[in-house]
Amino acid sequence: MPANYKVVPFLGLPNYSPAEMETRSDDFLQLMLGRRTIRDFSSKPVEREIIENAVRTAGLAPSGANRQPWHFVIISNPELKRKIRDAAEVEEKEFYAGKAGQQWLKDLEPLGTDPDKPFLEIAPYLIVVFQQNYDVDQETGDKIKHYYIQESVGLACGFLITALHNAGLGTLTHTPSPMGFLRDILGRPKHEKPVMIIVTGHPAEDASVPEEALNKKDLDVTTSWFE
Ligand code: IYR
């Protein structure tokens, strides 16, 4: 064993009966069946504590060598939200004007997306997720290597939207294209790359979602079993 390998007892899981496990798995499925990506947000405020808890949850995601290669910038400041909206809309106008290419734009039609991004100002919180391509030791200035960066950050984003949904908040995983402007506006270092904006808040009272998004692939398509 390496000298720096230490263990502690694992006490993390309660001992559910198979029946309890089935009920719990079904309850959780029912909860997640209600998650939709929404674009119509209410400006109703959200307690900072709820966002904090969700981001703490995101930080529990497994990551390559436990390096936790993520940084979350949490924005409720109205001026900053406006700046982000303005910059995102500049990029998105070009994207929808043709930069995306015909096929991509056609594929997006059923989702009804367009270059207007009012939710970036209306929603009470924007969480900008950055991947850290490496880290820098604060004391020595040495580079700290990160591993499986995209996978790790993807997992953290999954935990984050799940935690927000569980708290009763709507979410949108928004990827303005390109999104380098986020690093500049938010003053993040060069070794960090913006991955997505997780927009969160209460849904608007008249919120609607695209019918297309209800089409989820069947289990017999998404799975193969060897039993
Ligand atoms: N970034 C654009 C376009 C867009 C792309 C995909 I792939 C989507 O699933 C949804 C939107 C936008 O946010 O409108």
Side-chain angles (χ1 to χ4, degrees):
M1 287 294 166
N4 57 358
Y5 176 63
K6 301 198 192 95
V7 296
V8 290
F10 175 63
L11 303 168
L13 288 174
N15 215 342
Y16 298 124
S17 70
E20 281 173 313
M21 289 174 77
E22 196 174 326
T23 306
R24 292 179 62 88
S25 68
D26 189 56
D27 288 350
F28 192 69
L29 171 61
Q30 297 310 314
L31 173 72
M32 293 312 289
L33 276 168
R35 203 205 77 84
R36 296 266 90 79
T37 287
I38 61 160
R39 293 184 175 78
D40 303 327
F41 284 88
S42 148
S43 58
K44 184 176 164 184
V46 168
E47 295 284 319
R48 181 195 155 115
E49 187 69 27
I50 299 167
I51 304 297
E52 248 184 52
N53 282 342
V55 176
R56 276 184 215 281
T57 304
L60 301 176
S63 65
N66 190 34
R67 289 287 153 87
Q68 303 158 60
W70 43 65
H71 184 83
F72 304 95
V73 180
I74 300 154
I75 303 152
S76 56
N77 178 284
E79 288 89 59
L80 207 44
K81 285 197 290 183
R82 169 153 204 108
K83 258 193 184 174
I84 290 173
R85 175 184 179 181
D86 288 348
E89 287 182 342
V90 168
E91 301 292 8
E92 295 285 82
K93 277 194 183 98
E94 283 188 44
F95 178 91
Y96 283 95
K99 203 169 150 194
Q102 265 188 355
Q103 183 65 52
W104 195 349
L105 293 178
K106 195 167 177 296
D107 291 343
L108 289 177
E109 274 173 18
L111 298 177
T113 55
D114 63 33
D116 297 329
K117 306 297 176 193
F119 49 76
L120 291 173
E121 275 193 89
I122 296 170
Y125 278 101
L126 309 179
I127 305 174
V128 184
V129 184
F130 285 85
Q131 68 172 56
Q132 299 179 318
N133 293 327
Y134 56 88
D135 208 350
V136 180
D137 188 302
Q138 294 302 336
E139 272 158 36
T140 62
D142 289 348
K143 261 192 196 180
I144 300 167
K145 263 188 82 95
H146 284 171
Y147 307 93
Y148 296 100
I149 297 163
Q150 288 182 334
E151 294 83 347
S152 305
V153 174
L155 287 162
C157 290
F159 275 37
L160 182 53
I161 62 173
T162 304
L164 291 165
H165 174 69
N166 180 58
L169 290 174
T171 50
L172 164 63
T173 47
H174 178 43
T175 49
S177 166
M179 57 181 141
F181 66 86
L182 289 166
R183 180 167 48 206
D184 302 331
I185 293 179
L186 301 172
R188 298 308 303 169
K190 270 206 310 287
H191 61 273
E192 289 187 6
K193 182 180 162 225
V195 173
M196 66 179 78
I197 307 176
I198 295 181
V199 184
T200 191
H202 295 279
E205 258 172 47
D206 61 351
S208 61
V209 290
E211 200 175 27
E212 159 62 24
L214 300 175
N215 296 328
K216 299 301 182 196
K217 291 181 178 174
D218 283 336
L219 203 61
D220 60 359
V221 175
T222 61
T223 63
S224 309
W225 302 62
F226 292 91
E227 293 177 311

